[in-house]
Amino acid sequence: MHPLGPSASSVVATRILGLDPGLRITGFGVIDKLGSQLRYVASGTIKTRDGALPGRLKTLLDGVREVVTTYQPDQAAVEIVFVNVNPQSTLLLGQARGAVICGAVSCEVPMSEYTALQIKQAVVGYGKARKEQVQHMVQRLLCLDQLPGPDAADALACAICHANSATDGAGLPAHGRRRAGRRLASI
């Protein structure tokens, strides 16, 4: 858990990592949740180069581990892969998703999964929203100065969806709690 603000010594936030898996580009977004407030921490992408699949998957695994090491999330959320018309594309995306999940859970970060419909519903209020609508709502909800890129926006939307999927008194799913007393010196 992470403190927010200079006088927040007894108030802690939960840090959430959102992941939008892709074999070429995987988006990540990190937010802090304190009560009903969400605060942007960071976002970006992990990109793989063309080449053999095992090397690309290792790039994703290592990239997620680096993000986890850098931002120390308490929980993570990932988008569930949809089945599309091309079975080969679906298989490759599933493998990328597996590498992304393994990157987080190998660092002992609890993982939750959400469908694209759930994520869009939570962020835009409409499960079939376009990418641009998701980007604009993420910008608005996190008070960002500029529009996040599409992959980072999808990852941030996944984190927002998780933050708003509260089932326990602290505002997060009970199965995802860990490291209760941990604090980070700077955010």
Side-chain angles (χ1 to χ4, degrees):
M1 305 252 181
H2 308 277
L4 281 183
S7 65
S9 60
S10 64
V11 180
V12 293
T14 299
R15 183 156 287 178
I16 303 167
L17 168 63
L19 295 162
D20 179 44
L23 187 56
R24 284 187 331 98
I25 302 172
T26 289
F28 72 87
V30 184
I31 62 171
D32 283 340
K33 178 180 173 68
L34 179 62
S36 63
Q37 294 181 328
L38 301 178
R39 186 174 146 255
Y40 173 84
V41 175
S43 62
T45 57
I46 302 164
K47 296 180 181 179
T48 65
R49 296 179 185 198
D50 290 338
L53 180 63
R56 296 173 80 184
L57 296 177
K58 183 178 183 328
T59 298
L60 294 176
L61 179 85
D62 292 345
V64 171
R65 284 181 176 163
E66 183 179 333
V67 169
V68 168
T69 299
T70 301
Y71 297 105
Q72 297 291 305
D74 297 300
Q75 302 179 7
V78 66
E79 186 174 325
I80 294 174
V81 174
F82 63 92
V83 178
N84 61 35
V85 184
N86 183 339
Q88 181 64 23
S89 294
T90 302
L91 180 61
L92 291 171
L93 181 57
Q95 290 172 329
R97 185 175 176 275
V100 166
I101 290 171
C102 286
V105 299
S106 70
C107 296
E108 299 183 17
V109 179
M111 179 69 66
S112 295
E113 302 172 281
Y114 301 94
T115 65
L117 187 78
Q118 289 172 306
I119 294 167
K120 291 175 180 180
Q121 182 69 38
V123 173
V124 181
Y126 177 60
K128 296 186 182 200
R130 295 183 329 271
K131 274 196 174 286
E132 298 81 18
Q133 291 172 300
V134 172
Q135 285 177 277
H136 285 286
M137 281 307 295
V138 165
Q139 179 185 19
R140 189 170 181 192
L141 290 170
L142 297 177
C143 302
L144 302 176
D145 292 335
Q146 58 187 359
L147 203 61
D151 298 296
D154 286 350
L156 287 165
C158 192
I160 292 167
C161 175
H162 183 68
N164 292 332
S165 297
T167 58
D168 73 354
L172 291 166
H175 69 275
R177 297 201 148 289
R178 75 177 184 104
R179 300 187 273 184
R182 196 164 110 219
R183 298 193 191 281
L184 189 65
S186 64
I187 299 179

